[in-house]
Amino acid sequence: MTQKFDVVVIGAGPGGYVAAIKAAQLGLTTACIEKYTDKEGKLALGGTCLNVGCIPSKALLDSSWKFHEAQDGFAIHGISHAGVSMDVPAMVGRKANIVKNLTSGVATLFKANGVTSIQGHGKLLAGKKVEVTKPDGSVEVIEAENVILAPGSRPIDIPPAPVDQKVIVDSTGALEFQSVPKRLGVIGAGVIGLELGSVWSRLGAEVTVLEALDTFLMAADTAVSKEALKTLTKQGLDIKLGARVTGSKVNGEEVVVTYTDANGEQNITFDKLIVAVGRRPVTTDLLAADCGVTLDERGFVHVDDHCATTVPGVYAIGDVVRGMMLAHKASEEGIMVVERIKGHKAQMNYDLIPSVIYTHPEIAWVGKTEQTLKAEGVEVNVGTFPFAASGRAMAANDTGGFVKVIADAKTDRVLGVHVIGPSAAELVQQGAIGMEFGTSAEDLGMMVFSHPTLSEALHEAALAVNGGAIHIANRKKR
Ligand code: FAD
Ligand code: AMP
């Protein structure tokens, strides 16, 4: 007999698995189809995020930062030690254990919530039917009242640097190095390139980042991107802007990369090369020709503001649709869709999705940049507070960077919070909470912040918007 569910989700990444759990919680019969298997050939839920994305990259960033601190950051605290060494396979093994814990945790959550987990490749057919090709090649068709497509994304390949996962790797390969490459090249100075470049640079690799654009971190506030370029360069990342990779040649254990910059054609040799030039939506064999769902010109599934596709009852969420490729965006879209399936009036505030780059210092922002607001003709007041003036940051010997709060000059409403510095991601989230409730800079300034905390830098930056900061000289006078 054909199985029938209220909701069938294709893909168990942070978009799909969260949607499936929420649907089951709301009393809908739910199945989630996933095909990804780990190195042991076992079904692994959690998608890119848990298996080869957010979590493993943060595990390596944390390990490599501890190594860096042990090498260079302890003496100032009066701590001396005989010397430190890094066991790279142990570091990579720790990461693998974290991944396993989390992916098996999703399986447990599925069980606890009554989500039916189906292993296989899902394909949407006409009439909200879903064809599942199981690992043994058998095919089953299931029926659904509602289908949520959440197949995610995969790394973009570029012809000048074909990935072999040996010398030229993508982000997945870069999480698996078993030793520190002496000379490491990274193509692309985006979030993933900078995070992975930082991991291996902290462990001793000479890292060169080749970025085609002349502008560094274009989406960030200019003050933040300038500070980030200065700091990351000081840390040893050789970031070459305006350097477009045009070719590569693998010679045994090394690769010669050709790029063009303002001075013409250049060659540079690396022991490993990470290609981190962005990600593209996964729609291979996802949609039957007559299923009715359409793609946009860039290959993303076409959806409206509520993630509804062109077919009633079929939705798409996460990296496979327009907007930022972020786990938290995928998850919230999943929740919104399921709430709407249930008939609730859910919607998502796409203007307040925080962005984070987990370098050190961290870089994070929410809302608009000063340059965007100026281009839109919005008059703003800006308050900035440097961590160099924060007692808590001094105590931690982590004083690089600043908090910048941007408010509408007429209404004082906060329009952007931009942070480069310790715990930037956490501080920006506080800004996001305030902004969701329409906070003014004055509101933030009137709140009581614990002392001593890094959060006080957000408080002071908000006060500085109207010339009222206490612990720095105010540029703007009241
Ligand atoms: P995915 O996580 O890609 O999951 C989709 C799942 O669908 C996959 O498991 C896939 O196997 C499965 N699938 C695809 N097609 C089918 C099919 N036809 N049938 C069955 N199953 C199918 N984001 C952040 O927010 N913070 C970070 O710190 C961060 N760091 C990152 C670091 C790296 C190195 C990378 C690569 C990404 C990072 N991201 C980060 C991005 C984040 O991982 C993605 O935005 C997020 O995983 C997207 O979620 P998703 O559910 O849309 O898709
Ligand atoms: P993101 O999409 O944020 O992950 O960033 C990817 C970066 O890679 C972008 O800034 C692109 O400009 C850059 N990029 C893409 N192709 C090339 C190339 N051939 N050489 C150098 N940089 C590139």
Side-chain angles (χ1 to χ4, degrees), residues 10-17 33-36 44-55 57-58 120-123 150-155 171-172 175 191-192 195-196 279 282 284-286 317-320 324-331 356 358:
I10 301 182
Y17 86 72
I33 306 165
E34 173 60 63
K35 62 180 172 186
Y36 184 81
L45 305 173
T48 304
C49 172
L50 297 194
N51 288 287
V52 292
C54 320
I55 298 299
S57 59
K58 265 80 264 178
H121 176 98
K123 179 176 183 173
S153 63
R154 48 154 296 139
S171 59
T172 302
L175 298 167
V191 178
I192 294 174
E195 289 187 358
L196 293 173
R279 299 179 62 82
V282 170
T284 319
D285 208 22
L286 176 73
I317 58 172
D319 284 7
V320 83
M324 290 194 268
M325 287 186 165
L326 291 170
H328 41 286
K329 177 254 191 191
S331 301
V356 184
Y358 291 86

Side-chain angles (χ1 to χ4, degrees), residues 45-107:
L45 305 173
T48 304
C49 172
L50 297 194
N51 288 287
V52 292
C54 320
I55 298 299
S57 59
K58 265 80 264 178
L60 297 190
L61 278 159
D62 282 342
S63 294
S64 59
W65 182 250
K66 285 194 192 302
F67 175 74
H68 171 80
E69 281 279 272
Q71 264 200 328
D72 298 326
F74 283 5
I76 194 160
H77 296 280
I79 304 167
S80 55
H81 50 73
V84 286
S85 60
M86 174 49 98
D87 177 343
V88 175
M91 175 185 77
V92 174
R94 184 189 87 98
K95 175 220 49 164
N97 286 339
I98 297 167
V99 168
K100 204 170 185 124
N101 268 338
L102 286 168
T103 56
S104 58
V106 175

Side-chain angles (χ1 to χ4, degrees), residues 142-157:
I142 55 183
E143 286 181 35
E145 281 296 324
N146 302 278
V147 178
I148 303 176
L149 305 170
S153 63
R154 48 154 296 139
I156 292 177
D157 308 304

Side-chain angles (χ1 to χ4, degrees), residues 199-380:
V199 166
W200 298 104
S201 158
R202 291 167 188 173
L203 300 181
E206 291 161 20
V207 177
T208 306
V209 183
L210 301 168
E211 168 55 56
L213 299 176
D214 293 321
T215 314
F216 184 61
L217 289 182
M218 210 149 70
D221 190 271
T222 310
V224 170
S225 54
K226 256 194 211 150
E227 177 75 11
L229 184 57
K230 198 175 78 192
T231 313
L232 295 174
T233 303
K234 213 163 125 201
Q235 284 174 9
L237 294 187
D238 181 5
I239 300 169
K240 295 188 191 299
L241 299 175
R244 172 170 295 279
V245 172
T246 53
S248 64
K249 188 158 183 2
V250 175
N251 293 323
E253 304 274 284
E254 57 181 38
V255 54
V256 180
V257 172
T258 308
Y259 65 93
T260 49
D261 64 10
N263 300 317
E265 194 170 283
Q266 319 282 341
N267 288 313
I268 183 165
T269 305
F270 300 116
D271 301 300
K272 296 273 186 204
L273 177 65
I274 304 174
V275 182
V277 297
R279 299 179 62 82
R280 63 177 170 79
V282 170
T283 51
T284 319
D285 208 22
L286 176 73
L287 305 168
D290 61 349
C291 76
V293 170
T294 54
L295 303 182
D296 68 18
E297 63 286 353
R298 292 168 60 220
F300 291 89
V301 174
H302 194 274
V303 288
D304 67 10
D305 288 351
H306 299 120
C307 293
T309 69
T310 34
V311 177
V314 179
Y315 305 83
I317 58 172
D319 284 7
V320 83
V321 301
R322 83 283 175 269
M324 290 194 268
M325 287 186 165
L326 291 170
H328 41 286
K329 177 254 191 191
S331 301
E332 286 310 309
E333 284 181 334
I335 302 272
M336 169 179 71
V337 161
V338 171
E339 293 279 10
R340 292 180 74 85
I341 287 172
K342 253 321 237 191
H344 304 154
K345 276 198 177 132
Q347 57 184 27
M348 219 177 116
N349 186 352
Y350 282 96
D351 293 335
L352 290 185
I353 299 176
S355 294
V356 184
I357 309 174
Y358 291 86
T359 45
H360 198 102
E362 274 180 14
I363 300 162
W365 66 90
V366 65
K368 292 193 176 172
T369 60
E370 189 174 352
Q371 66 267 21
T372 308
L373 288 162
K374 284 210 168 125
E376 289 173 0
V378 180
E379 259 182 72
V380 295

